[in-house]
Structures are given as C-alpha cells and as structure tokens.
Amino acid sequence: MAAYKAVATSYTSREVSVDPEFLSTPSKAPDAAPIAAYGIDFRDTELSQRGEAYAVVLDNVLSPSECAKLLSYAECSSTNQDKPWQPALVNTGPGRETLIPDYRNSERIIWDNQRLMDLLWTRCLQAEGLEEDIVELDSAEKPHVLGVHAKKKQRWRFTRLNERMRFLRYEKGMFFREHCDGSYWETKTGERSFYTLHLYLDDSIEGLSSDPFASKGAGSSNVELSGGATTFYTDDMKAQIDVFPRAGRVLIFQHRALLHAGADVHAGVKYTMRTDLMF
C-alpha cells in the first residue's frame, strides 16, 4: 500500500430537526413489514472454522421510506452542505485516522445521536430471541465473543447502541477490503463494544432475488445497486458467505475473529450505517 498522512480525528455535526414520531415502535410507516430474524450458524457452512461465532440478520427493521428519511437526516447533519459525503478514513491509532483508498474506498458522514440509536435498538428487539442472545456476555459461555476479556471471568451486560452513526456511501467500484472490526472503549463509562451493527439503507438486486436470508418485505420498485455484500471469509479466503444489502436490513456480528469485507459495488450506489453494541 502507498503511504498516506495521518490526521487528527475530528467529528462535528449540525443540529437536525427530527420528526418526533420517526422510528416509533411499532412502525407507523405505510410500507413497514414484520421483522424476520435469521441466525447464521457458521458450523453448518463452509465457514465451519468460525465455530460458534455470532451473526444474525434482521429484515424489515426499518421500512424503505424510513431508510430514505434517515439518510436525508444524515445528510442534513453534515457540516459541509455543499459536499456532505467525505472520504472514509481508517483508524490508525488513538485519535488518528488515515486515508488509505486502496484498502478502504468509500465516503461517509458521522453523526452522533443517542436517541435515534435507542429507537433503532427498540425496533431490533422485536426480533424473537435477540435480547436473550445479546443482553449478557458471560466469560464462561461466550469466550468466542470476549476473547482476551474472557480470562478476567467477568460478566458484561448490554447498555446501549453506540451513539456514533457512521453512514457510508459506496459508488460503483468502491469497497472495504478484508478486516476484523476493533472494539470501541468508552473511557468515561468503562463501556466496551463486542458486536458490530450494520443497517442497510437501500436494496440490491441480489438482496431481492438470490439472497438466502431474504424475507418478504416492501422492497424497491427500481433497483440499481448490484454487489456491495458484507462478505465473511475463512482465513485462507477460499470460502465465503455473502449478506447482501436490503433496505431496512440489520446485520449484527461479533467483532472478534470474523474476517469480512465490504465487497465491490458493481452498479448503482450502496448506502449503509454502522455502529456498535456497547457493554
């Protein structure tokens, strides 16, 4: 990779007037559909080496119209209204980020809003079994999630979704190469993240047709996005599982030891939002 200059991390946003009824539960959107959950049991796939690693797909958490509204709010939050989407940087140390476009090639908006994340989590909890899976992390029962933290024989309890929403925009040819997500540590509260949450904000052709996790939902009438899956890999990169974008779909998976990538977008534009589950 080429050498790029690190810059200081700095996130600011504009005040946004959000409809007080937005993301109410149950959804009041006319295009809402029932939430459906699909657990990914890696042991029964070509990625069996991932063992008990946790990942779950939740469809219809938001309706397509709610996704469009959330994306509009995100763009309004940008301090640069002439060009709200800026290049996505890579964390390269405490308080430092670097532009590395041959590794991460996309654009982003960062917006902190705890209320919206609380409402999103309330929606997610409509999925049967999710709360039982997530609410507590016991070092004896889930060492595959806790990693080195399992040695401390601690019990971690879920507190919230991280208020930091990273909205991402991928045009044709953009990608995020293979990586494992790092844990976010909130020094003031002692909270730490152990899971990633992705919220997909538009439909892909594959997500509406060939996706094995697909459920019934409103969907889009005119779909241009192709590609852009979140792809899980074996260590040798010879086997994979693809989770394709669908508007309102949430993908939750553990940070630790899950090699994955944001696959190349072949056509159209992919929009997604990423945050963390805090404990």
Side-chain angles (χ1 to χ4, degrees):
M1 292 185 183
Y4 300 95
K5 183 179 179 180
V7 297
T9 301
S10 177
Y11 305 136
T12 57
S13 59
R14 299 171 70 238
E15 193 74 27
V16 179
S17 178
V18 177
D19 182 346
E21 296 297 315
F22 182 58
L23 295 189
S24 59
T25 300
S27 176
K28 298 179 181 179
D31 54 344
I35 293 177
Y38 307 89
I40 302 176
D41 189 343
F42 291 102
R43 294 169 295 186
D44 292 335
T45 71
E46 294 184 8
L47 274 64
S48 58
Q49 67 175 228
R50 298 299 176 216
E52 296 180 303
Y54 184 84
V56 64
V57 175
L58 312 177
D59 274 348
N60 308 318
V61 176
L62 271 67
S63 73
S65 65
E66 289 172 326
C67 290
K69 183 175 284 190
L70 180 59
L71 190 58
S72 175
Y73 285 145
E75 291 179 335
C76 288
S77 77
S78 174
T79 56
N80 186 345
Q81 288 295 289
D82 292 331
K83 188 174 173 47
W85 295 95
Q86 297 293 319
L89 307 184
V90 177
N91 185 355
T92 51
R96 308 295 289 177
E97 293 183 306
T98 306
L99 178 66
I100 312 178
D102 47 358
Y103 171 62
R104 184 180 194 183
N105 184 4
S106 62
E107 298 174 322
R108 72 181 181 185
I109 295 171
I110 294 180
W111 180 26
D112 292 352
N113 190 309
Q114 188 63 61
R115 178 177 176 274
L116 286 182
M117 290 299 88
D118 293 343
L119 292 171
L120 174 60
W121 186 245
T122 299
R123 282 282 183 90
C124 291
L125 289 180
Q126 292 183 100
E128 185 177 354
L130 179 64
E131 187 168 17
E132 292 78 3
D133 285 344
I134 294 294
V135 68
E136 192 169 83
L137 288 174
D138 184 274
S139 58
E141 296 175 359
K142 297 187 177 179
H144 55 284
V145 176
L146 292 170
V148 297
H149 298 283
K151 298 179 181 179
K152 300 178 181 179
K153 297 183 178 180
Q154 294 175 328
R155 183 168 293 180
W156 295 78
R157 292 192 63 83
F158 175 82
T159 54
R160 61 188 174 94
L161 290 185
N162 189 352
E163 75 276 9
R164 179 145 297 162
M165 300 178 285
R166 297 83 147 188
F167 291 88
L168 301 168
R169 182 180 188 274
Y170 295 80
E171 294 183 351
K172 180 180 178 180
M174 290 185 171
F175 54 80
F176 193 171
R177 296 300 182 223
E178 299 77 31
H179 63 284
C180 290
D181 291 343
S183 180
Y184 175 78
W185 181 32
E186 178 57 70
T187 56
K188 294 181 180 179
T189 63
E191 293 171 296
R192 184 179 291 274
S193 70
F194 292 101
Y195 296 89
T196 297
L197 182 148
H198 276 296
L199 168 63
Y200 302 96
L201 297 171
D202 56 353
D203 286 322
S204 66
I205 294 170
E206 298 88 348
L208 294 178
S209 58
S210 59
D211 190 337
F213 306 107
S215 66
K216 293 182 179 179
S220 301
S221 57
N222 298 306
V223 180
E224 297 181 355
L225 172 61
S226 178
T230 300
T231 301
F232 296 106
Y233 290 102
T234 52
D235 291 337
D236 60 10
M237 304 284 291
K238 292 183 178 179
Q240 67 187 65
I241 293 175
D242 294 321
V243 179
F244 287 98
R246 287 196 66 178
R249 166 174 284 177
V250 164
L251 170 64
I252 298 173
F253 58 94
Q254 68 183 59
H255 292 333
R256 179 180 175 272
L258 268 184
L259 184 67
H260 64 282
D264 293 50
V265 169
H266 304 312
V269 181
K270 169 188 171 183
Y271 291 99
T272 186
M273 187 279 293
R274 179 203 183 284
T275 190
D276 314 279
L277 277 63
M278 304 299 294
F279 293 77

